[in-house]
Amino acid sequence: MIRDNLQHVEENIKSACDRSGRSREDVKLIAVSKTKPVEMLREAYDLGCRDFGENKVQELMDKYDKLPGDIRWHMIGHLQRNKVKYIVDKVFLIHSVDSLRLAEEISREAVKKSVIISILVEVNVAGEETKFGTTAQEAISLVEEIAKLPNIVIKGLMTIAPYVENSEENRLYFAKLKQIYVDIIHKNIDNVFMEELSMGMTGDYEVAIEEGATYIRVGTGIFGERQYQNV
Ligand SMILES: *Cc1c(COP(=O)(O)O)cnc(C)c1O
C-alpha cells in the first residue's frame, strides 16, 4: 500500500511542478508518520523516504531510537518549552516555532548541547482560532527577535492551512505565506536564511507546490488514515 501511495504522491508532485514551471528537486516530501508504527516507517524508508514528520516529542524519541541514523526528523507539532531539551540534538528542522519564549528555550538548549538548530516560524495565515502560529502581522517582528538568539537559525516559514473540501480555497493562504517570506527576504535580516516554505498536506499539497512550497507534509496520502485512540 505504501509503495502505491508514494508512487501516486510522486506523480502528483511532478505534475504540480510541471504546471508551475518548477523543478522536482525544489520540492521535498516529508512523510508524516505520527501515530503510525515503526514497521510502516521502515517500509517507507526502504522505499527511499528519508524525511519523516512527527508531532509529539515522546513518539519522535521512541522512533528515533528504533530507526536508521540517516533519517531527517522534522518536528511539525506544537512544542512545549519543557520538552525542547529532549529533541534539540535529534531533529533536523523544527517547523512549529510560534513564540519568542519557545525560540529562547530552543536557543538555550542548543547552546548547552553545542548544536545549531534550524527552525521555521509557524504563521497562522488564515487566523484560525483553533490553530497555533504567530499572526501574519507579527511574523516579521518575531523573525527579527529570534534572529538575535545564539545557536538558532531561521530557515523559513510554515503554515497549516484550514481543513477544506476544495483545496483551491487554500491557495490564497499559501500565496500569503509566500508574500510574507518575500517581505522578510527584502529586509536582509542577519542570521535569517529564507529558503524553505513548509506548506501543503494530503488535501492541498498540489496547490501548495504551485504557490511555492519547498516542503510538503503528507501523512494520510502515504500511510493511510490515522486511528486515534480515545483518551
Ligand atoms: C498531521 C499533519 C500533517 C499531515 O496531515 P495529512 O492530512 O495526513 O497529510 C501535516 N502537517 C502537520 C503539522 C500535521 O500535524
Side-chain angles (χ1 to χ4, degrees):
M1 178 193 83
I2 295 178
R3 179 187 295 271
D4 292 345
N5 288 348
L6 269 173
Q7 207 168 350
H8 182 68
V9 170
E10 185 56 42
E11 281 161 20
N12 290 340
I13 295 174
K14 283 207 190 88
S15 333
C17 284
D18 287 346
R19 280 197 300 278
S20 49
R22 304 185 61 202
S23 82
R24 172 64 189 90
E25 298 81 67
D26 294 343
V27 180
K28 299 173 287 283
L29 170 64
I30 298 175
V32 175
S33 46
K34 63 191 188 199
T35 78
K36 298 297 178 183
V38 168
E39 298 74 53
M40 288 182 86
L41 280 75
R42 166 67 73 173
E43 192 178 339
Y45 178 91
D46 289 338
L47 291 161
C49 292
R50 290 297 178 272
D51 291 276
F52 288 87
E54 290 286 338
N55 68 342
K56 295 220 158 59
V57 167
Q58 185 63 51
E59 193 174 342
L60 191 152
M61 287 168 63
D62 290 346
K63 289 172 175 173
Y64 179 94
D65 284 337
K66 292 179 183 145
L67 287 158
D70 62 343
I71 287 177
R72 294 178 290 269
W73 293 98
H74 296 261
M75 179 62 198
I76 60 173
H78 182 64
L79 182 56
Q80 286 169 307
R81 278 176 294 139
N82 61 354
K83 295 196 174 154
V84 167
K85 57 179 175 288
Y86 301 117
I87 58 158
V88 86
D89 53 351
K90 296 187 172 66
V91 289
F92 177 74
L93 183 62
I94 301 175
H95 292 233
S96 44
V97 178
D98 61 355
S99 73
L100 184 58
R101 287 173 76 201
L102 174 59
E104 284 169 344
E105 182 63 23
I106 293 170
S107 169
R108 226 180 342 262
E109 287 298 326
V111 169
K112 248 193 234 170
K113 297 201 163 78
S114 299
V115 291
I116 307 280
I117 297 298
S118 296
I119 64 133
L120 305 180
V121 168
E122 179 176 353
V123 187
N124 182 359
V125 268
E128 287 182 288
E129 266 172 38
T130 51
K131 295 238 167 84
F132 293 103
T134 183
T135 63
Q137 293 77 21
E138 284 161 358
I140 296 183
S141 57
L142 180 59
V143 166
E144 285 171 331
E145 289 305 311
I146 295 175
K148 297 173 189 163
L149 302 172
N151 292 45
I152 187 167
V153 174
I154 303 173
K155 287 283 176 68
L157 305 176
M158 178 272 227
T159 198
I160 304 173
Y163 180 78
V164 288
E165 290 289 327
N166 174 4
S167 59
E168 282 298 328
E169 290 171 35
N170 281 337
R171 188 179 292 279
L172 79 163
Y173 298 124
F174 297 141
K176 181 152 184 202
L177 192 72
K178 174 77 185 255
Q179 186 55 55
I180 300 170
Y181 167 96
V182 170
D183 289 346
I184 293 171
I185 291 175
H186 288 155
K187 291 217 150 203
N188 274 320
I189 308 165
D190 278 348
N191 206 30
V192 174
F193 303 89
M194 282 282 145
E195 294 162 359
E196 310 293 0
L197 273 176
S198 170
M199 55 191 198
M201 314 183 5
T202 296
D204 55 20
Y205 64 88
E206 292 165 86
V207 174
I209 291 170
E210 289 168 10
E211 296 302 325
T214 65
Y215 274 119
I216 56 170
R217 312 177 305 264
V218 180
T220 312
I222 295 174
F223 297 108
E225 295 286 341
R226 284 177 293 274
Q227 249 118 49
Y228 288 100
Q229 253 117 38
N230 295 324
V231 280

